[in-house]
Amino acid sequence: MSVRSNRWRPAAAVLGAAMVLAGAGACAKSEESPAGSAAGPAPAASQVVQSAAAGAATCTIDQFGGTRIDLRTAKVGFSQSEKEANPFRIAETQSIEDEAAKLGITNLTTANANSQFNKQISDVEQMIDSGVQLLVIAPLNSDGWDSVFAKASAKKIPIVTIDRKINATACKDYLTFIGSDFAEQGKRAADEMAKALGNKGEVAILLGAPGNNVTTLRTSGFKDQIAKVAPDIKVTFEQTGNFSREEGQKVTEQLLQSNPNINGIYGENDEMALGAVTALKGAGKKAGDVKIVSIDGTKGAVQGIVDGWISAVIESNPRFGPLAFGTATRFFAGEAVGQDIIISDRAYDTTNAKTDIGSAY
């Protein structure tokens, strides 16, 4: 666990954040910057919030309880779920830290669970015991947070969950969830796979980590949409790759031994898809022999489109800093904030990958 003391910035920065809906996030460096990447336009780093449905549930500080605070002088905790090796996690943590510095938040404590759920629970409970007044959590799992909620509720500490949803009650156990529509991401990936395969063939799914709603919804969204738009595409293989490049490669190597004529691979994140590319190269396949569609929007995967190995990538924007702190600022100012804040994600394919790679992370 680490504590960062950021230099004070003018109050106008914090007041400005109270008006932020999507904010302009800094484009963080990815795990790798592929050689030969085409230069793109200025990065479109900001998250864009979808229009809330009429009557969508909101939460205020009066409903939730607690007191109004100034984030510049508040003690804030950020819990990251996985090590900063995956480009998504690198960009996510960097966005939180950059925005905290920009707003003049002087007391930010960060911890990384390194994919150990018990450690994440312990990290967050330690933050609560240390007196944090706001928690931003990227949860590893969707269940198992009862002890954290009990501690946080007793002290009326609002929890902003980002990128994965916790199975609990908004505006009670936690304040709000900020993230993508994961089922919709799966559906869009299915549409791209159907297009790449001409609506027929056999597809393998590299599943994300079990125990969280991202994997569940990206899987169901993909399967439901494939059945709807391309019933002649059959899912013939599914195995967990735990969102890891190394495991994605190993699973694909196993896949190619059991089904060397597979037509398509759906990677539920870019890291597994890039592992699949390595496996395909090792098996003597050529670019385009097996169609790959994935989700995230890393520079490595978008470069994979440019190089012909990947057909399409659905973005999952990790730059949560501006939106997370903007939401918290408005909440502490007494404004109503959405209990579910869903962001819009772009897509990359052969029509825009070369020109828009600068927008990837």
Side-chain angles (χ1 to χ4, degrees), residues 264-316:
I265 295 174
Y266 166 43
E268 292 187 341
N269 82 334
D270 286 352
E271 285 295 280
M272 293 189 295
L274 290 169
V277 169
T278 300
L280 290 170
K281 290 178 178 179
K285 300 286 188 181
K286 297 179 181 178
D289 283 352
V290 178
K291 308 301 182 184
I292 298 177
V293 176
S294 65
I295 299 174
D296 264 355
T298 66
K299 276 188 168 65
V302 178
Q303 183 65 40
I305 299 175
V306 176
D307 296 338
W309 286 96
I310 297 176
S311 297
V313 174
I314 307 302
E315 182 188 59
S316 195

Side-chain angles (χ1 to χ4, degrees), residues 64-258:
F64 185 85
T67 58
R68 300 187 184 191
I69 62 173
D70 183 343
L71 283 182
R72 291 174 300 172
T73 56
K75 189 168 187 177
V76 179
F78 171 59
S79 172
Q80 177 58 276
S81 57
E82 300 170 11
K83 64 181 180 180
E84 280 96 6
N86 183 325
F88 183 96
R89 299 299 167 189
I90 295 172
E92 183 176 63
T93 296
Q94 191 66 54
S95 178
I96 294 292
E97 293 178 346
D98 287 350
E99 189 66 12
K102 177 182 176 182
L103 297 179
I105 295 172
T106 57
N107 196 344
L108 174 67
T109 299
T110 65
N112 193 306
N114 291 313
S115 299
Q116 300 172 54
F117 187 57
N118 288 340
K119 182 179 185 304
Q120 184 167 42
I121 295 298
S122 176
D123 288 343
V124 175
E125 289 182 345
Q126 287 179 39
M127 290 179 187
I128 294 172
D129 292 340
S130 74
V132 295
Q133 296 162 285
L134 170 70
L135 282 164
V136 180
I137 299 176
L140 182 64
N141 292 346
S142 297
D143 295 308
W145 290 89
D146 290 352
S147 63
V148 165
F149 293 145
K151 277 180 170 281
S153 178
K155 296 185 177 183
K156 298 298 182 183
I157 302 169
I159 298 173
V160 176
T161 63
I162 59 173
D163 87 54
R164 290 178 184 170
K165 199 166 188 177
I166 292 174
N167 293 326
T169 304
C171 203
K172 176 179 175 290
D173 299 315
Y174 65 96
L175 172 61
T176 185
F177 162 72
I178 303 174
S180 299
D181 183 332
F182 306 120
E184 182 63 22
Q185 289 177 332
K187 290 177 182 179
R188 294 173 69 190
D191 288 337
E192 293 294 342
M193 184 64 75
K195 186 191 306 180
L197 291 180
N199 296 325
K200 60 183 179 179
E202 294 186 3
V203 171
I205 300 179
L206 303 183
L207 302 166
N212 65 74
N213 66 315
V214 177
T215 298
T216 301
L217 293 173
R218 285 181 181 171
T219 303
S220 62
F222 182 85
K223 287 182 173 180
D224 290 348
Q225 188 71 356
I226 281 291
K228 179 180 178 181
V229 303
D232 289 334
I233 292 179
K234 305 300 179 184
V235 176
T236 59
F237 179 96
E238 297 177 53
Q239 190 164 322
T240 297
N242 281 310
F243 292 129
S244 161
R245 186 179 301 201
E246 293 77 13
E247 291 192 47
Q249 178 181 343
K250 290 178 182 177
V251 171
T252 303
E253 288 169 349
Q254 296 168 11
L255 162 68
L256 293 173
Q257 290 175 5
S258 62

Side-chain angles (χ1 to χ4, degrees), residues 342-354:
I342 305 303
I343 61 176
S344 297
D345 296 308
R346 61 184 293 159
Y348 299 92
D349 59 20
T350 55
T351 68
N352 65 358
K354 190 171 183 179

